[in-house]
């Protein structure tokens, strides 16, 4: 785990009147050792495999805190549960999500980013963050061969 993520999380917890516990440290470490999308259950089992102490409830509560402080984003809801990724230190990107195979493709478009900035400026809206998910089917997953 990098020092900056821990520092940000510690300061956030302190402002909320919460403690940086060993459980939260183990969860934070595992989140930032993962470089793809993950779900809370997988995170819980990975922590347990490493014989770290963290309850399932602690994983869910800590993920919520990480969302609030901006170190993690919820990136999709597939099969009725959420997936996450750590975003601190990474360039912004959006996602294409296949509803058949569940594949998530990261995409980036400067044109889309500029369009969003222009829309916010026009509406006099100060954007802090945004998420774009386009859900559909990759060609190989389309049942009727639509391209």
């Amino acid at each position: 785990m990098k020092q900056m993520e821990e520092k940000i999380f510690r300061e956030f917890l302190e402002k909320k009147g919460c403690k940086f516990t060993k459980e939260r440290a183990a969860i934070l470490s595992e989140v930032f050792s993962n470089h793809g999308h993950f779900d809370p259950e997988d995170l819980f089992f990975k922590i347990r495999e490493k014989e770290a102490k963290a309850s399932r409830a602690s994983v869910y509560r800590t993920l919520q805190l990480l969302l609030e402080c901006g170190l993690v984003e919820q990136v999709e809801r597939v099969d009725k549960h959420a997936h996450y990724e750590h975003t601190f230190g990474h360039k912004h990107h959006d996602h294409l999500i296949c509803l058949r195979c569940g594949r998530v493709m990261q995409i980036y478009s400067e044109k889309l980013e500029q369009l969003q900035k222009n829309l916010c400026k026009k509406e006099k809206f100060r954007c802090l963050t945004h998420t774009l998910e386009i859900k559909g089917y990759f060609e190989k997953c389309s049942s009727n061969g639509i391209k």
Side-chain angles (χ1 to χ4, degrees):
M1 170 176 40
K2 296 179 182 174
Q3 295 294 328
M4 187 56 82
E5 290 91 351
E6 183 177 326
K7 181 178 185 285
I8 291 168
F9 193 44
R10 280 181 182 273
E11 289 173 1
F12 172 80
L13 291 171
E14 187 176 305
K15 287 178 187 173
K16 287 188 70 80
C18 300
K19 294 182 179 184
F20 185 76
T21 63
K22 288 181 182 179
E23 281 187 315
R24 288 181 176 150
I27 294 163
L28 182 67
S29 178
E30 189 59 39
V31 164
F32 278 89
S33 69
N34 187 333
H35 298 289
H37 301 127
F38 62 90
D39 69 37
E41 289 298 308
D42 289 341
L43 182 62
F44 170 71
F45 288 117
K46 284 180 183 179
I47 291 167
R48 296 296 295 265
E49 284 174 8
K50 294 180 178 178
E51 297 182 17
K53 302 284 186 210
S55 69
R56 189 176 265 114
S58 290
V59 167
Y60 281 90
R61 283 193 302 266
T62 302
L63 274 175
Q64 185 59 45
L65 291 168
L66 290 168
L67 280 166
E68 288 176 36
C69 77
L71 291 173
V72 167
E73 285 186 11
Q74 182 174 318
V75 293
E76 62 178 301
R77 283 191 169 273
V78 177
D79 298 332
K80 299 184 182 179
H81 66 276
H83 288 83
Y84 301 85
E85 66 182 343
H86 68 84
T87 53
F88 180 77
H90 295 276
K91 286 188 170 186
H92 172 77
H93 60 268
D94 298 303
H95 299 95
L96 299 178
I97 302 169
C98 184
L99 298 173
R100 173 131 324 117
C101 70
R103 180 174 161 216
V104 178
M105 177 184 281
Q106 295 180 358
I107 59 169
Y108 177 81
S109 167
E110 185 60 44
K111 287 180 182 179
L112 276 175
E113 295 303 312
Q114 193 58 51
L115 176 61
Q116 291 171 88
K117 287 178 188 175
N118 292 343
L119 285 170
C120 290
K121 184 176 180 179
K122 177 183 172 200
E123 299 300 328
K124 297 177 176 53
F125 181 80
R126 187 173 67 103
C127 178
L128 299 176
T129 185
H130 76 273
T131 303
L132 174 65
E133 297 176 346
I134 302 173
K135 297 179 181 179
Y137 302 97
F138 287 110
E139 183 177 358
K140 68 177 186 160
C141 296
S142 180
S143 60
N144 58 7
I146 296 174
K147 295 183 181 180

